[in-house]
């Protein structure tokens, strides 16, 4: 297995629905598996995971620089969700985005 962080654009039926996160009708996928174990990282061939595997990939960190990181979610209010991926060593934010769903009028 690989220790990586990756997020997708909103995807439905294997198709990118939007290249933004505002009122998207499709789900966003986040893989946050960069727990810090390098698993003999230098000895492995990482070519398959160093490049995004399709247009659906919005951000990919395959652990070459940030092999230890964790995710944070903040529900700012009923319409805004902030997602951050944090470098576990320096504490710096390596990726950040907002998912926004405007309230519907009933």
């Amino acid at each position: 297995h690989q220790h990586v962080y990756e997020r997708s654009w909103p995807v439905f039926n294997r198709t990118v629905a939007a290249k933004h996160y505002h009122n998207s009708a499709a789900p966003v996928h986040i893989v946050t598996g960069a727990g810090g174990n390098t698993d003999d990282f230098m000895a492995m061939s990482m070519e398959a995971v160093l490049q995004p595997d399709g247009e659906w990939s919005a951000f990919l960190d395959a652990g070459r620089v940030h092999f230890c990181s964790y995710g944070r979610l903040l529900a700012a209010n009923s319409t805004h969700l902030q997602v951050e991926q944090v470098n576990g060593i320096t504490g710096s934010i390596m990726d950040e985005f907002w998912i926004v769903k405007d309230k519907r009028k009933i």
Side-chain angles (χ1 to χ4, degrees):
H1 70 276
Q2 308 300 332
H3 290 262
V4 301
Y5 164 75
E6 186 170 19
R7 73 172 152 91
S8 72
W9 294 113
V11 174
F12 179 75
N13 199 21
R14 299 184 183 194
T15 302
V16 174
K19 289 208 172 180
H20 59 78
Y21 302 101
H22 191 149
N23 289 330
S24 174
V28 175
H29 302 271
I30 301 168
V31 176
T32 179
N37 183 356
T38 59
D39 284 339
D40 294 326
F41 176 77
M42 296 312 234
M44 294 188 315
S45 171
M46 295 292 288
E47 294 306 312
V49 297
L50 289 178
Q51 300 298 321
D53 192 26
E55 69 172 303
W56 51 265
S57 184
F59 185 98
L60 171 65
D61 183 273
R64 180 165 282 181
V65 177
H66 305 102
F67 67 89
C68 180
S69 64
Y70 60 92
R72 269 194 308 226
L73 297 174
L74 169 67
N77 56 42
S78 64
T79 62
H80 289 68
L81 177 68
Q82 181 186 31
V83 182
E84 295 179 331
Q85 190 70 10
V86 181
N87 182 306
I89 296 171
T90 67
S92 63
I93 306 300
M94 52 187 272
D95 186 39
E96 184 265 343
F97 67 103
W98 289 81
I99 299 173
V100 178
K101 271 291 209 199
D102 294 335
K103 290 184 179 180
R104 294 183 183 183
K105 293 182 181 180
I106 300 175

